[in-house]
Coordinates of all heavy atoms in Angstrom, one line a residue:
M18 N -8.9 223.6 31.3 CA -9.7 223.4 30.2 C -9.3 224.4 29.1 O -8.9 225.5 29.3 CB -11.2 223.7 30.6 CG -12.1 223.7 29.4 SD -13.9 224.0 29.8 CE -14.4 222.3 30.2
R19 N -9.5 224.0 27.8 CA -9.1 224.7 26.7 C -10.3 224.8 25.7 O -10.9 223.7 25.4 CB -7.9 224.1 26.0 CG -7.4 224.9 24.8 CD -6.2 224.3 24.3 NE -6.6 223.3 23.3 CZ -5.8 222.8 22.4 NH1 -4.6 223.1 22.4 NH2 -6.2 221.9 21.5
V20 N -10.7 226.0 25.3 CA -11.8 226.1 24.4 C -11.3 226.8 23.2 O -10.6 227.8 23.3 CB -13.0 227.0 25.0 CG1 -14.1 227.1 23.9 CG2 -13.5 226.3 26.2
V21 N -11.5 226.3 22.0 CA -11.0 226.8 20.7 C -12.1 227.2 19.8 O -13.0 226.4 19.5 CB -10.1 225.7 20.0 CG1 -9.5 226.3 18.7 CG2 -8.9 225.3 20.9
F22 N -12.0 228.4 19.3 CA -12.9 228.9 18.3 C -12.1 229.1 17.0 O -10.9 229.5 17.1 CB -13.5 230.3 18.6 CG -14.5 230.2 19.7 CD1 -14.2 230.7 21.0 CD2 -15.8 229.9 19.5 CE1 -15.1 230.7 22.0 CE2 -16.8 229.8 20.5 CZ -16.4 230.3 21.8
E23 N -12.8 229.0 15.9 CA -12.1 229.5 14.6 C -13.0 230.6 14.1 O -14.2 230.4 13.8 CB -12.1 228.3 13.6 CG -11.3 228.8 12.4 CD -10.8 227.6 11.5 OE1 -10.6 226.5 12.1 OE2 -10.7 227.8 10.3
M24 N -12.4 231.8 13.9 CA -13.1 232.9 13.5 C -12.7 233.4 12.1 O -11.6 233.1 11.8 CB -12.8 234.1 14.5 CG -13.1 233.8 16.0 SD -14.8 233.5 16.3 CE -15.4 235.1 16.5
N25 N -13.6 234.0 11.4 CA -13.4 234.5 10.1 C -13.9 235.9 10.0 O -15.0 236.2 10.3 CB -14.1 233.6 9.1 CG -13.8 234.1 7.7 OD1 -13.4 235.2 7.4 ND2 -14.0 233.2 6.7
D26 N -13.0 236.9 9.7 CA -13.4 238.3 9.5 C -13.4 238.7 8.1 O -13.3 239.9 7.8 CB -12.6 239.2 10.4 CG -11.1 239.3 9.9 OD1 -10.8 238.5 9.0 OD2 -10.4 240.2 10.4
N27 N -13.5 237.7 7.2 CA -13.4 237.9 5.7 C -12.1 238.4 5.2 O -11.9 238.7 4.1 CB -14.6 238.9 5.2 CG -15.9 238.3 5.4 OD1 -16.1 237.1 5.3 ND2 -16.9 239.1 5.7
T28 N -11.1 238.5 6.1 CA -9.7 238.7 5.7 C -8.9 237.5 5.9 O -7.8 237.5 5.5 CB -9.1 239.9 6.4 OG1 -9.0 239.6 7.8 CG2 -9.8 241.2 6.2
G29 N -9.5 236.5 6.6 CA -8.8 235.2 6.8 C -9.3 234.6 8.1 O -10.1 235.2 8.8
N30 N -8.9 233.3 8.3 CA -9.4 232.5 9.4 C -8.3 232.6 10.5 O -7.1 232.7 10.2 CB -9.6 231.1 9.1 CG -10.8 230.9 8.2 OD1 -11.8 231.7 8.2 ND2 -10.8 229.8 7.4
M31 N -8.8 232.6 11.7 CA -7.8 232.6 12.9 C -8.4 231.8 14.0 O -9.6 231.8 14.3 CB -7.7 234.1 13.4 CG -6.6 234.3 14.5 SD -5.0 233.8 14.1 CE -4.4 235.3 13.4
K32 N -7.5 231.0 14.6 CA -7.9 230.2 15.8 C -7.8 231.1 17.0 O -6.9 231.8 17.2 CB -7.0 229.0 16.0 CG -7.3 227.9 15.0 CD -6.6 226.7 15.3 CE -6.9 225.6 14.3 NZ -6.2 224.4 14.5
I33 N -8.9 231.0 17.9 CA -8.9 231.7 19.1 C -8.9 230.7 20.3 O -9.8 229.8 20.2 CB -10.1 232.6 19.3 CG1 -10.4 233.3 18.0 CG2 -10.1 233.5 20.5 CD1 -9.4 234.3 17.6
V34 N -8.0 230.7 21.2 CA -7.9 229.7 22.3 C -8.2 230.4 23.6 O -7.5 231.5 23.9 CB -6.5 229.0 22.3 CG1 -6.5 228.0 23.3 CG2 -6.2 228.5 20.9
F35 N -9.1 229.9 24.4 CA -9.3 230.4 25.8 C -8.9 229.3 26.7 O -9.3 228.2 26.6 CB -10.8 230.7 26.0 CG -11.2 232.0 25.2 CD1 -11.7 231.9 24.0 CD2 -11.0 233.2 25.8 CE1 -12.2 233.0 23.3 CE2 -11.4 234.4 25.1 CZ -12.0 234.3 23.8
Y36 N -8.0 229.7 27.8 CA -7.6 228.7 28.7 C -8.1 228.9 30.1 O -8.4 230.1 30.4 CB -6.0 228.8 28.8 CG -5.3 228.3 27.6 CD1 -4.7 229.2 26.7 CD2 -5.1 226.9 27.4 CE1 -4.0 228.7 25.6 CE2 -4.4 226.5 26.3 CZ -3.9 227.4 25.4 OH -3.2 226.9 24.3
Q37 N -8.3 227.9 30.9 CA -8.6 227.9 32.2 C -7.8 226.9 33.0 O -7.7 225.7 32.5 CB -10.2 227.6 32.5 CG -10.6 227.7 33.8 CD -10.6 229.0 34.5 OE1 -10.7 230.0 33.8 NE2 -10.5 229.1 35.8
K38 N -7.2 227.2 34.1 CA -6.3 226.3 34.8 C -7.1 225.1 35.4 O -6.7 224.0 35.4 CB -5.6 227.0 35.9 CG -4.6 228.0 35.4 CD -3.9 228.7 36.6 CE -2.9 229.7 36.0 NZ -2.2 230.4 37.1
D39 N -8.3 225.4 35.8 CA -9.2 224.3 36.4 C -9.9 223.6 35.3 O -10.6 224.1 34.4 CB -10.2 224.9 37.4 CG -11.0 223.8 38.1 OD1 -10.7 222.7 37.9 OD2 -12.0 224.3 38.8
E40 N -9.7 222.3 35.2 CA -10.2 221.4 34.1 C -11.7 221.3 34.1 O -12.3 220.9 33.1 CB -9.6 220.0 34.1 CG -8.1 220.0 33.7 CD -7.9 220.4 32.3 OE1 -8.7 220.0 31.4 OE2 -6.9 221.1 32.0
T41 N -12.3 221.6 35.2 CA -13.8 221.4 35.4 C -14.6 222.6 35.1 O -15.9 222.6 35.0 CB -14.1 220.9 36.8 OG1 -13.8 221.9 37.7 CG2 -13.4 219.6 37.1
Q42 N -14.0 223.8 34.9 CA -14.7 225.0 34.8 C -14.5 225.6 33.3 O -13.4 225.4 32.8 CB -14.3 226.1 35.8 CG -14.6 225.8 37.2 CD -14.2 226.8 38.1 OE1 -13.5 227.7 37.8 NE2 -14.8 226.8 39.3
L43 N -15.4 226.4 32.9 CA -15.3 227.1 31.6 C -14.4 228.3 31.8 O -14.4 228.9 32.9 CB -16.7 227.6 31.2 CG -17.0 228.0 29.8 CD1 -16.7 226.9 28.8 CD2 -18.4 228.5 29.7
P44 N -13.5 228.6 30.9 CA -12.7 229.8 31.0 C -13.5 231.1 31.4 O -14.6 231.2 30.9 CB -12.1 230.0 29.6 CG -12.1 228.6 29.1 CD -13.3 228.0 29.6
S45 N -13.0 231.9 32.3 CA -13.8 233.0 32.9 C -14.2 233.9 31.8 O -15.3 234.6 31.9 CB -12.9 233.7 33.9 OG -11.7 234.2 33.3
A46 N -13.5 234.2 30.7 CA -14.0 235.1 29.6 C -15.3 234.6 28.9 O -16.0 235.3 28.3 CB -12.9 235.3 28.6
L47 N -15.5 233.3 29.0 CA -16.7 232.7 28.3 C -17.9 232.4 29.2 O -18.9 232.0 28.7 CB -16.2 231.4 27.6 CG -15.2 231.5 26.6 CD1 -14.7 230.1 26.1 CD2 -15.6 232.4 25.4
R48 N -17.7 232.7 30.5 CA -18.8 232.3 31.4 C -20.1 233.0 31.1 O -21.2 232.5 31.2 CB -18.4 232.6 32.8 CG -17.4 231.5 33.3 CD -17.2 231.5 34.8 NE -16.1 230.7 35.1 CZ -15.1 231.0 35.8 NH1 -15.0 232.2 36.3 NH2 -14.1 230.1 36.0
N49 N -20.1 234.3 30.8 CA -21.3 235.1 30.5 C -21.5 235.4 29.0 O -22.2 236.3 28.7 CB -21.2 236.4 31.2 CG -21.2 236.2 32.8 OD1 -21.9 235.3 33.3 ND2 -20.4 237.0 33.5
F50 N -20.8 234.6 28.2 CA -20.9 234.8 26.7 C -21.8 233.8 26.1 O -21.6 232.6 26.3 CB -19.5 234.8 26.1 CG -19.4 235.0 24.7 CD1 -19.7 236.3 24.2 CD2 -19.3 234.0 23.7 CE1 -19.7 236.6 22.8 CE2 -19.3 234.2 22.4 CZ -19.5 235.5 21.9
E51 N -22.8 234.2 25.4 CA -23.7 233.3 24.7 C -23.4 233.3 23.2 O -23.6 234.2 22.5 CB -25.2 233.8 24.9 CG -26.2 232.8 24.3 CD -27.6 233.2 24.6 OE1 -27.9 233.8 25.6 OE2 -28.5 233.0 23.7
Y52 N -22.9 232.1 22.8 CA -22.4 232.0 21.4 C -23.6 231.7 20.5 O -24.5 230.8 20.8 CB -21.4 230.9 21.2 CG -21.1 230.5 19.8 CD1 -20.3 231.3 19.0 CD2 -21.7 229.3 19.3 CE1 -20.0 230.9 17.7 CE2 -21.4 228.9 18.0 CZ -20.6 229.7 17.2 OH -20.4 229.4 15.9
K53 N -23.7 232.4 19.3 CA -24.7 232.1 18.2 C -23.9 232.0 16.9 O -23.1 232.9 16.7 CB -25.7 233.2 18.2 CG -26.6 233.2 19.4 CD -27.7 234.2 19.2 CE -28.5 234.3 20.6 NZ -29.3 235.5 20.6
Q54 N -24.2 231.1 16.1 CA -23.5 231.0 14.8 C -23.8 232.2 14.0 O -24.8 232.7 13.9 CB -24.0 229.7 14.1 CG -23.1 229.4 12.9 CD -23.5 228.0 12.3 OE1 -24.5 227.4 12.7 NE2 -22.7 227.6 11.4
F55 N -22.7 232.6 13.3 CA -22.7 233.7 12.3 C -22.9 235.1 13.0 O -23.3 236.1 12.4 CB -23.8 233.6 11.3 CG -23.6 232.4 10.5 CD1 -24.6 231.4 10.5 CD2 -22.5 232.1 9.7 CE1 -24.5 230.2 9.7 CE2 -22.3 231.0 9.0 CZ -23.3 230.0 9.0
M56 N -22.7 235.2 14.3 CA -22.7 236.5 15.0 C -21.4 237.1 15.0 O -20.4 236.5 14.7 CB -23.1 236.2 16.5 CG -22.0 235.6 17.3 SD -22.5 235.4 19.1 CE -22.1 237.0 19.7
Y57 N -21.4 238.4 15.2 CA -20.1 239.2 15.2 C -19.6 239.3 16.7 O -20.5 239.6 17.6 CB -20.3 240.6 14.6 CG -20.4 240.5 13.1 CD1 -21.7 240.6 12.6 CD2 -19.3 240.5 12.3 CE1 -21.8 240.6 11.2 CE2 -19.4 240.5 10.9 CZ -20.7 240.5 10.4 OH -20.8 240.5 9.0
A58 N -18.3 239.1 16.9 CA -17.8 239.2 18.3 C -16.5 240.0 18.2 O -15.8 239.9 17.2 CB -17.6 237.9 18.9
K59 N -16.2 240.7 19.3 CA -14.9 241.3 19.4 C -14.0 240.6 20.4 O -14.6 240.3 21.6 CB -15.1 242.8 19.9 CG -13.8 243.6 19.8 CD -14.1 245.0 20.0 CE -12.9 245.9 19.6 NZ -13.2 247.3 19.5
I60 N -12.9 240.2 20.0 CA -12.0 239.3 20.9 C -10.7 240.1 21.2 O -10.1 240.7 20.4 CB -11.7 238.0 20.2 CG1 -13.0 237.3 20.0 CG2 -10.7 237.2 21.0 CD1 -12.9 236.1 19.0
F61 N -10.4 240.1 22.5 CA -9.1 240.7 22.9 C -8.2 239.6 23.3 O -8.6 238.6 23.9 CB -9.4 241.7 24.1 CG -10.3 242.7 23.8 CD1 -11.7 242.5 24.0 CD2 -9.9 244.0 23.4 CE1 -12.6 243.6 23.7 CE2 -10.7 244.9 23.1 CZ -12.1 244.8 23.2
G62 N -6.9 239.7 23.0 CA -6.0 238.7 23.4 C -4.6 239.0 22.8 O -4.3 240.0 22.4
T63 N -3.8 237.9 22.8 CA -2.4 238.0 22.4 C -2.1 237.0 21.3 O -2.5 235.9 21.4 CB -1.4 237.7 23.5 OG1 -1.7 238.6 24.6 CG2 0.0 238.0 23.1
V64 N -1.4 237.4 20.2 CA -1.1 236.5 19.1 C 0.1 235.7 19.6 O 1.1 236.2 20.1 CB -0.8 237.3 17.9 CG1 -0.3 236.3 16.7 CG2 -2.0 238.1 17.4
R65 N 0.0 234.4 19.4 CA 1.0 233.5 19.8 C 1.3 232.5 18.6 O 0.4 232.2 17.8 CB 0.6 232.6 21.0 CG 0.4 233.3 22.3 CD 1.6 233.8 22.8 NE 1.3 234.6 24.1 CZ 2.1 235.3 24.7 NH1 3.3 235.5 24.3 NH2 1.7 235.9 25.8
V66 N 2.6 232.1 18.5 CA 2.9 231.2 17.4 C 3.5 229.9 18.1 O 4.4 229.9 18.9 CB 4.0 231.8 16.5 CG1 4.4 230.8 15.4 CG2 3.5 233.1 15.8
Y67 N 2.9 228.8 17.7 CA 3.3 227.5 18.3 C 3.4 226.5 17.1 O 2.4 226.3 16.4 CB 2.3 227.0 19.3 CG 2.6 225.7 19.9 CD1 3.7 225.6 20.8 CD2 1.9 224.5 19.6 CE1 4.0 224.4 21.3 CE2 2.2 223.3 20.2 CZ 3.3 223.2 21.0 OH 3.6 222.0 21.6
K68 N 4.5 226.0 16.9 CA 4.8 225.0 15.7 C 4.4 225.7 14.5 O 3.7 225.0 13.7 CB 4.1 223.7 16.0 CG 4.6 222.9 17.2 CD 4.0 221.6 17.3 CE 4.5 220.8 18.5 NZ 3.9 219.5 18.6
E69 N 4.8 226.9 14.2 CA 4.6 227.7 13.1 C 3.1 227.9 12.8 O 2.7 228.1 11.6 CB 5.3 227.1 11.8 CG 6.8 227.0 12.1 CD 7.5 226.5 10.8 OE1 6.9 226.7 9.7 OE2 8.6 226.1 10.9
E70 N 2.2 227.8 13.7 CA 0.8 228.0 13.6 C 0.4 229.2 14.5 O 0.6 229.2 15.7 CB 0.0 226.8 13.9 CG -1.5 226.9 13.6 CD -2.2 225.7 13.8 OE1 -1.6 224.6 13.6 OE2 -3.4 225.8 14.2
K71 N -0.2 230.2 13.9 CA -0.6 231.4 14.6 C -2.0 231.1 15.3 O -2.8 230.5 14.8 CB -0.8 232.6 13.8 CG 0.5 233.2 13.3 CD 0.2 234.4 12.5 CE 1.4 234.9 11.7 NZ 1.2 236.0 10.8
A72 N -2.1 231.7 16.5 CA -3.4 231.6 17.2 C -3.4 232.8 18.2 O -2.4 233.3 18.6 CB -3.6 230.3 18.0
I73 N -4.7 233.2 18.5 CA -4.8 234.3 19.5 C -5.2 233.6 20.8 O -6.2 232.8 20.8 CB -5.9 235.2 19.1 CG1 -5.5 236.0 17.8 CG2 -6.3 236.3 20.2 CD1 -6.6 236.8 17.2
V74 N -4.5 233.9 21.9 CA -4.9 233.4 23.2 C -5.8 234.6 23.7 O -5.4 235.6 24.1 CB -3.7 233.2 24.1 CG1 -4.1 232.9 25.5 CG2 -2.7 232.2 23.5
G75 N -7.1 234.2 23.8 CA -8.1 235.2 24.2 C -8.1 235.5 25.7 O -7.9 234.6 26.5
T76 N -8.4 236.7 26.0 CA -8.6 237.1 27.4 C -10.0 237.7 27.6 O -10.5 237.5 28.7 CB -7.6 238.2 27.8 OG1 -7.7 239.3 26.8 CG2 -6.2 237.7 27.7
H77 N -10.6 238.3 26.6 CA -12.0 238.8 26.7 C -12.7 238.6 25.4 O -12.0 238.6 24.3 CB -12.0 240.3 27.0 CG -11.4 240.7 28.3 ND1 -11.6 240.1 29.5 CD2 -10.4 241.6 28.5 CE1 -10.9 240.7 30.4 NE2 -10.2 241.6 29.9
I78 N -14.0 238.4 25.4 CA -14.8 238.3 24.3 C -16.2 239.0 24.5 O -16.7 238.9 25.6 CB -15.0 236.9 23.8 CG1 -15.8 236.8 22.5 CG2 -15.7 236.0 24.9 CD1 -15.8 235.4 21.8
R79 N -16.7 239.7 23.5 CA -18.0 240.3 23.7 C -18.7 240.4 22.3 O -18.1 240.4 21.3 CB -17.9 241.7 24.3 CG -17.3 242.7 23.4 CD -17.4 244.1 24.1 NE -16.8 245.1 23.3 CZ -17.4 245.8 22.4 NH1 -18.6 245.5 22.0 NH2 -16.8 246.7 21.6
K80 N -20.0 240.3 22.4 CA -20.8 240.5 21.3 C -20.8 241.9 20.7 O -20.9 242.8 21.5 CB -22.3 240.0 21.5 CG -23.2 240.1 20.4 CD -24.6 239.6 20.9 CE -25.5 239.8 19.7 NZ -26.9 239.4 20.1
I81 N -20.7 242.0 19.4 CA -20.8 243.3 18.8 C -22.3 243.7 18.6 O -23.0 243.0 17.9 CB -20.1 243.4 17.4 CG1 -18.6 243.3 17.8 CG2 -20.3 244.6 16.6 CD1 -17.7 243.3 16.5
E82 N -22.7 244.8 19.1 CA -24.1 245.2 19.0 C -24.4 246.2 17.8 O -25.4 246.1 17.2 CB -24.5 246.0 20.3 CG -24.4 245.1 21.6 CD -25.4 244.0 21.7 OE1 -26.4 244.1 21.0 OE2 -25.1 243.0 22.4
K83 N -23.4 247.0 17.5 CA -23.5 247.9 16.4 C -22.6 247.5 15.2 O -21.4 247.3 15.4 CB -23.2 249.3 16.9 CG -24.0 249.9 18.0 CD -23.6 251.2 18.4 CE -24.4 251.7 19.5 NZ -24.0 253.1 20.0
F84 N -23.2 247.5 14.1 CA -22.4 247.1 12.9 C -21.3 248.1 12.5 O -20.4 247.8 11.8 CB -23.4 247.0 11.7 CG -22.7 246.2 10.6 CD1 -22.6 244.8 10.7 CD2 -22.2 246.8 9.4 CE1 -21.9 244.1 9.6 CE2 -21.7 246.1 8.4 CZ -21.5 244.7 8.5
E85 N -21.4 249.4 13.1 CA -20.3 250.3 12.9 C -19.0 249.8 13.3 O -17.9 250.2 12.7 CB -20.6 251.6 13.7 CG -21.9 252.3 13.2 CD -22.4 253.2 14.3 OE1 -21.9 253.3 15.4 OE2 -23.5 253.9 14.0
E86 N -18.9 249.0 14.3 CA -17.6 248.4 14.8 C -17.1 247.4 13.8 O -15.8 247.4 13.6 CB -17.8 247.6 16.1 CG -18.2 248.5 17.3 CD -18.3 247.7 18.6 OE1 -17.3 247.1 18.9 OE2 -19.4 247.7 19.2
V87 N -17.9 246.8 13.0 CA -17.4 245.9 11.9 C -16.8 246.7 10.8 O -15.7 246.4 10.3 CB -18.5 244.9 11.4 CG1 -18.1 244.1 10.3 CG2 -19.0 244.1 12.5
T88 N -17.5 247.8 10.4 CA -17.0 248.7 9.4 C -15.7 249.3 9.8 O -14.7 249.3 9.1 CB -18.0 249.8 9.2 OG1 -19.3 249.2 8.8 CG2 -17.5 250.7 8.0
N89 N -15.6 249.6 11.1 CA -14.3 250.2 11.6 C -13.2 249.2 11.5 O -12.1 249.5 11.2 CB -14.5 250.7 13.1 CG -13.3 251.4 13.6 OD1 -12.6 252.0 12.9 ND2 -13.1 251.2 14.9
H90 N -13.5 248.0 11.8 CA -12.5 246.9 11.7 C -11.9 246.8 10.3 O -10.7 246.7 10.1 CB -13.0 245.6 12.2 CG -12.1 244.4 11.9 ND1 -11.0 244.2 12.6 CD2 -12.3 243.4 11.0 CE1 -10.4 243.1 12.1 NE2 -11.1 242.6 11.2
F91 N -12.9 246.8 9.3 CA -12.4 246.6 7.9 C -11.6 247.8 7.5 O -10.6 247.7 6.8 CB -13.6 246.5 7.0 CG -14.3 245.1 7.1 CD1 -15.6 245.0 7.3 CD2 -13.5 243.9 6.9 CE1 -16.2 243.7 7.4 CE2 -14.0 242.7 7.0 CZ -15.5 242.6 7.2
L92 N -11.9 249.0 7.9 CA -11.1 250.2 7.6 C -9.7 250.1 8.2 O -8.7 250.4 7.6 CB -11.8 251.5 8.1 CG -13.1 251.8 7.3 CD1 -13.8 253.0 8.0 CD2 -12.7 252.2 5.9
Q93 N -9.6 249.6 9.5 CA -8.3 249.4 10.1 C -7.4 248.4 9.4 O -6.3 248.6 9.2 CB -8.5 248.9 11.6 CG -9.0 250.0 12.5 CD -9.3 249.5 13.9 OE1 -9.3 248.3 14.1 NE2 -9.4 250.4 14.8
V94 N -8.1 247.3 8.9 CA -7.4 246.3 8.1 C -6.9 246.9 6.8 O -5.7 246.6 6.4 CB -8.3 245.0 7.9 CG1 -7.6 244.1 6.9 CG2 -8.5 244.3 9.2
F95 N -7.7 247.7 6.2 CA -7.4 248.3 4.9 C -6.2 249.2 5.0 O -5.2 249.2 4.2 CB -8.6 249.0 4.4 CG -8.3 249.7 3.0 CD1 -8.2 249.0 1.8 CD2 -8.2 251.1 3.0 CE1 -7.9 249.6 0.7 CE2 -7.9 251.8 1.8 CZ -7.8 251.0 0.6
V96 N -6.2 250.1 6.1 CA -5.1 251.0 6.3 C -3.8 250.3 6.7 O -2.7 250.7 6.3 CB -5.5 252.0 7.4 CG1 -4.4 252.9 7.8 CG2 -6.6 252.9 6.9
A97 N -3.9 249.2 7.5 CA -2.7 248.4 7.9 C -2.0 247.8 6.7 O -0.8 247.6 6.8 CB -3.2 247.3 8.9
N98 N -2.7 247.5 5.7 CA -2.0 246.9 4.5 C -1.5 248.0 3.6 O -0.6 247.9 2.9 CB -3.0 246.0 3.7 CG -3.3 244.7 4.4 OD1 -2.4 244.2 5.1 ND2 -4.4 244.1 4.2

């Protein structure tokens, strides 16, 4: 099974793909994750390029509880540029 999210961190959109070998089960990273629209989440994974399209193959996802993590992300993006 393949689950695809499109995420936006206000620096751009990115596709996030979670895979599971068994077609009948939800990917293990998403089993205990409750999705709500417009929520903040931290995603861990690897950037892959397929047919000139970038995507992140996700391994873990978790809800961000403290807004400080979002501020930290924006600072990291700012410094990286």
